[in-house]
Amino acid sequence: TTTTTTATTTTTTIKATTATTTATTTTTATAITSTSTTTTTTTTTTTTCGTGDWTTWSPCTKSCGTGGRIRSGFNSCLNELVPDVEECNSVPCNDVCASAKEASCGSQEVGSTQFANNDSYCTSTPGVWYVVNVPANHTLQLSTCGGSSYDTRISYGYSCSQCAATNDDSCGLQSSISAPRSDTARPVYVHMTGFSSGNRGPFTLSIACVPCTDEWSSWSSCSATCGSGTQTRTRPSPCPGSVSTETQSC
């Protein structure tokens, strides 16, 4: 930036001239004006800083589940290389059933559907996968009640291609569902999603394996030795929805 300042100075000089005659002396004053000009130039230099000549990005630190990568660029003011960091590969590692995360009975799985892809299972909505190895004679209970701030859906099945059941809004906008008992241990595949593609975010999925059986105990002895009496039998650990005690006449 260049600034030019011009200053003008005006000076007035009085010159006296005397003329003499025989009878009279006359003095005449003549004003002479001179002007001088002074110019001052000031120069200010402004430097614009910038970063360029970026290197290529480094490999991402993770192949899934949000990693990071870095590159460097030359900063003209600092006269050195400066780093630039960004997130990469944010798709969850359990985005597909083949990569389902193994979860255990009694656990609370903290996850997110934020960057999940659409997956056609019970519903075609973005979700993540878990697999739970449920022991024999146990029901599997799954719940997001109180564990998310958006509308969730839980689906389960016994393979990646078989949807057995799904639940939405069992407890407000959250979900709760149970898989029935089996006589043998088996894996249960759980698909955790939002109600629609616009419902995404973090969640906490509670997983419980509750022992139960549909097998009855033996009938008790009759309450009467003659006439009319009753006898009962029980289920030691009834499954959800099952009757725990039965009575018959004897």
Side-chain angles (χ1 to χ4, degrees):
T1 303
T2 302
T3 304
T4 302
T5 303
T6 302
T8 303
T9 304
T10 302
T11 305
T12 302
T13 304
I14 305 299
K15 182 178 181 181
T17 303
T18 304
T20 304
T21 63
T22 303
T24 304
T25 300
T26 303
T27 301
T28 303
T30 303
I32 301 174
T33 302
S34 63
T35 301
S36 63
T37 301
T38 302
T39 301
T40 303
T41 303
T42 303
T43 302
T44 302
T45 302
T46 302
T47 302
T48 301
C49 296
T51 305
D53 296 330
W54 292 101
T55 61
T56 57
W57 288 104
S58 68
C60 193
T61 56
K62 291 184 178 181
S63 59
C64 58
T66 307
R69 62 180 186 174
I70 189 171
R71 64 176 181 172
S72 299
F74 184 79
N75 186 281
S76 57
C77 285
L78 298 177
N79 197 33
E80 63 181 25
L81 292 174
V82 294
D84 182 27
V85 180
E86 72 174 11
E87 292 182 346
C88 50
N89 294 344
S90 296
V91 174
C93 294
N94 56 338
D95 186 56
V96 296
C97 185
S99 301
K101 179 184 177 182
E102 187 170 337
S104 59
C105 297
S107 67
Q108 287 193 322
E109 295 296 329
V110 178
S112 176
T113 58
Q114 183 64 45
F115 299 105
N117 293 311
N118 285 353
D119 197 345
S120 296
Y121 192 56
C122 291
T123 60
S124 182
T125 50
V128 292
W129 288 86
Y130 297 91
V131 58
V132 185
N133 291 308
V134 182
N137 296 319
H138 283 66
T139 59
L140 174 63
Q141 297 181 359
L142 306 164
S143 174
T144 58
C145 297
S148 78
S149 59
Y150 62 97
D151 198 349
T152 61
R153 182 190 294 272
I154 304 174
S155 307
Y156 76 85
Y158 305 108
S159 69
C160 289
S161 58
Q162 177 198 20
C163 174
T166 185
N167 176 264
D168 170 59
D169 296 349
S170 178
C171 42
L173 293 177
Q174 281 73 57
S175 311
S176 179
I177 195 171
S178 296
R181 64 171 285 279
S182 172
D183 291 333
T184 58
R186 62 180 174 181
V188 178
Y189 292 87
V190 181
H191 195 214
M192 176 66 211
T193 72
F195 175 72
S196 66
S197 59
N199 301 124
R200 297 169 178 255
F203 63 84
T204 299
L205 174 65
S206 298
I207 300 173
C209 299
V210 180
C212 74
T213 179
D214 288 330
E215 296 178 0
W216 291 100
S217 65
S218 300
W219 287 105
S220 66
S221 300
C222 189
S223 60
T225 57
C226 59
S228 179
T230 60
Q231 59 182 170
T232 60
R233 64 177 183 176
T234 61
R235 286 189 173 110
S237 301
C239 296
S242 298
V243 176
S244 59
T245 303
E246 279 188 341
T247 303
Q248 68 177 11
S249 299
C250 58

